[in-house]
């Protein structure tokens, strides 16, 4: 009788263990765009990059409803904040807009800020890409250069808005040894793609700069000591989605810490 009991106990373990096992693919929430009658849309490269890294992508619709965002965060193991429009400087860091300001998206600004703050507060791993990386800095009290060509004074200007395929690196970044990005990419110097005219100016408290281009522009940041909140100014998803795995380690890192639970 005792043997039968032990045997059935093992069966129960066999049934329930996979539910708690770390082999399950984690769900990676991806912040979306909104407007012109279209909702919940993201460039396919983000989705493909999550697939390639072994995650389950879940596109998060733009909303300003805290309850909806909170329930959404219950369902995701990590968050990717995507690229896009310029960030409204007047509303979010109290600066008048410069003449070179591009398109701004007030609904997305509000959504991005809410999502970033709620996700980090709940201990979710978070990767910001381009606008998402700038938003991460602004959400925690940092500011931006609104326009690199007219505002950044450097010894040698670098082109940050490339006329080349999206999956092609055009300018160098120098990565801090010991940073999350160094761990993910495994190199101190590497060529990245570049599609931005805004950049981190004053760094948010509690963050550190982990990479710069040769003109001094900030190309990566991370939340000090968190091990799971970080941003990159370039677009690693464009490489991964095109089968070039130079930066796939960034997504694999996110998927792995998402898998470990929050
Ligand atoms: Mn750049």
């Amino acid at each position: 009788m005792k043997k039968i009991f032990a045997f059935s106990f093992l069966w129960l373990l066999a049934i329930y263990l996979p539910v708690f096992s770390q082999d399950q693919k984690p769900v990676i929430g991806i912040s979306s765009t909104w407007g012109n009658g279209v909702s919940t849309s993201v460039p396919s490269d983000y989705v493909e990059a999550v697939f390639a890294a072994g995650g389950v992508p879940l596109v998060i619709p733009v909303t300003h409803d805290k309850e909806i965002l909170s329930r959404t965060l219950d369902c995701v193991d990590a968050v990717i904040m995507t690229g896009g429009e310029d960030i409204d400087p007047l509303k979010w860091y109290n600066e008048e807009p410069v003449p070179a300001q591009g398109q701004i998206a007030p609904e997305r600004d509000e959504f991005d800020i809410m999502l970033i703050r709620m996700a980090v507060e709940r201990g979710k791993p978070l990767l910001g890409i381009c606008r998402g990386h700038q938003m991460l800095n602004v959400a925690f009290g940092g500011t931006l250069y609104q326009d690199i060509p007219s505002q950044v004074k450097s010894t040698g200007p670098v082109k940050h808005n490339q006329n080349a395929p999206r999956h092609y690196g055009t300018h160098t970044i120098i990565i801090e040894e010991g940073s999350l990005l160094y761990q993910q990419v495994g190199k101190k110097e590497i060529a990245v793609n570049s599609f931005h005219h805004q950049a981190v100016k004053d760094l948010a408290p509690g963050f550190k700069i982990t990479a710069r281009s040769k003109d001094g522009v900030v190309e990566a940041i991370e939340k000090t000591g968190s091990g799971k909140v970080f941003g990159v100014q370039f677009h690693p998803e464009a490489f991964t989605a095109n089968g070039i795995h130079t930066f796939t380690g960034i997504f694999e890192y996110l998927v792995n810490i998402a898998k470990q639970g929050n």
Side-chain angles (χ1 to χ4, degrees):
M1 196 62 188
K2 268 183 187 167
K3 264 184 189 169
I4 291 167
F5 177 77
F7 189 66
S8 54
F9 178 67
L10 279 177
W11 267 108
L12 273 176
L13 261 185
I15 292 163
Y16 286 106
L17 209 57
V19 175
F20 302 108
S21 121
Q22 292 187 0
D23 293 337
Q24 272 206 124
K25 290 188 173 194
V27 177
I28 312 296
I30 304 175
S31 74
S32 68
T33 59
W34 176 92
N36 298 323
V38 177
S39 167
T40 327
S41 106
V42 292
S44 57
D45 282 359
Y46 294 102
V47 173
E48 295 302 325
V50 170
F51 282 144
V56 177
L58 188 142
V59 179
I60 305 176
V62 173
T63 175
H64 302 153
D65 186 313
K66 267 201 158 171
E67 193 188 342
I68 291 175
L69 269 182
S70 175
R71 285 292 294 129
T72 307
L73 284 171
D74 289 343
C75 308
V76 306
D77 302 302
V79 174
I80 294 176
M81 301 301 301
T82 58
E85 298 88 347
D86 285 4
I87 296 157
D88 179 356
L90 186 60
K91 167 118 190 200
W92 299 106
Y93 52 98
N94 200 26
E95 248 184 39
E96 293 300 318
V98 299
Q101 184 182 62
Q103 183 75 38
I104 61 170
E107 294 83 1
R108 248 195 111 182
D109 283 356
E110 186 101 31
F111 162 70
D112 282 6
I113 293 269
M114 283 178 76
L115 181 55
I116 290 169
R117 287 179 182 161
M118 286 176 75
V120 172
E121 194 177 307
R122 286 174 61 160
K124 302 280 178 188
L126 184 138
L127 161 63
I129 294 177
C130 197
R131 167 193 162 89
H133 143 93
Q134 296 163 358
M135 264 296 178
L136 176 61
N137 185 52
V138 169
F140 289 100
T143 66
L144 303 177
Y145 288 111
Q146 294 183 46
D147 179 57
I148 296 167
S150 60
Q151 294 186 311
V152 174
K153 290 168 185 60
S154 62
T155 46
V158 169
K159 184 177 171 73
H160 287 279
N161 205 350
Q162 71 187 48
N163 303 107
R166 287 190 73 80
H167 56 273
Y168 188 78
T170 58
H171 77 62
T172 309
I173 60 167
I174 317 289
I175 302 174
E176 290 291 326
E177 278 182 75
S179 66
L180 291 180
L181 188 61
Y182 184 79
Q183 199 179 321
Q184 294 155 359
V185 174
K187 281 188 178 155
K188 218 174 138 34
E189 267 197 53
I190 198 159
V192 297
N193 54 3
S194 203
F195 303 95
H196 61 113
H197 80 122
Q198 304 209 310
V200 167
K201 185 166 70 180
D202 301 310
L203 186 66
F207 281 75
K208 64 177 180 183
I209 293 166
T210 58
R212 288 181 190 270
S213 47
K214 291 200 169 173
D215 55 355
V217 165
V218 175
E219 290 277 341
I221 62 172
E222 66 182 53
K223 191 169 189 296
T224 311
S226 75
K228 55 183 174 183
V229 177
F230 52 102
V232 291
Q233 182 58 73
F234 54 97
H235 282 274
E237 79 285 359
F239 294 85
T240 301
N242 279 285
I244 301 161
H245 294 295
T246 323
F247 299 106
T248 305
I250 295 174
F251 298 101
E252 286 170 346
Y253 179 90
L254 187 74
V255 163
N256 278 330
I257 46 169
K259 220 186 263 186
Q260 288 161 20
N262 308 298

